[in-house]
Amino acid sequence: MIKIELHNRTKVTVITYFRMTRDQEICRYLPQSIQSEAEALAHFEKAQQPGATSYGRTIYADSHYIGDIWCYNIRQEEPNAMISYCIFDKAYWGKGIAAKSLQLFLDEIIEKFCFTFIGAFTYSANTASVHVLLKNGFQEVETFMEDGVESKYFQIQKISNPDTRRTGNLY
């Protein structure tokens, strides 16, 4: 069994993540607005400030750094935040790591920020990501076209009880 842990992001992991996600196959499934290492580091520094509207962690599998998970647009209104994640090390794709990482991350941010309503976007063609969201209790709300790509919006509500979320039953 693979041991999955979430760790703090650092300047080194930010640069590693930026470089690893330039991969053509990853770009096909992960929209990316950050275009340089300097911009990635600036976003990281901003997230370290009090009152930041984003919060992220690194994903480790058996002590190897393999990806990131984060929430952004943190606010009081609904949704309280949006979720995003990426396993950039393809050797770990298809092993359930993203789903377990999301479960761990949701437990953490629900406690840390008292979220009750979270959203997520993914490309419709990214069936692995769709599965990760559904497995963690998210429900599909909408399918839409953006920049010529079919995408889906998911959300999960009233998630203060992690056991209820994991079964997919919302209350």
Side-chain angles (χ1 to χ4, degrees), residues 60-131:
Y60 279 75
D62 291 336
S63 301
H64 299 283
Y65 173 46
I66 63 163
D68 278 22
I69 189 164
W70 61 98
C71 58
Y72 59 96
N73 288 343
I74 296 173
R75 58 188 177 200
Q76 295 299 311
E77 307 88 51
E78 294 182 349
N80 302 131
M82 300 296 293
I83 292 284
S84 195
Y85 46 85
C86 176
I87 305 296
F88 59 70
D89 188 332
K90 295 179 197 174
Y92 291 92
W93 285 9
K95 298 183 184 300
I97 294 169
K100 178 63 175 175
S101 298
L102 180 55
Q103 176 188 332
L104 293 170
F105 190 66
L106 287 171
D107 289 347
E108 181 177 330
I109 64 173
I110 290 164
E111 183 176 322
K112 182 177 182 71
F113 298 106
C114 298
F115 291 154
T116 59
F117 188 84
I118 298 174
F121 291 103
T122 190
Y123 291 147
S124 296
N126 191 346
T127 56
S129 186
V130 168
H131 179 73

Side-chain angles (χ1 to χ4, degrees), residues 9-27:
R9 296 175 74 225
T10 66
K11 290 180 181 181
V12 171
T13 61
V14 168
I15 296 300
T16 301
Y17 180 84
F18 178 81
R19 290 177 181 168
M20 296 299 291
T21 57
R22 301 301 102 184
D23 176 88
Q24 185 177 4
E25 189 173 9
I26 291 173
C27 289

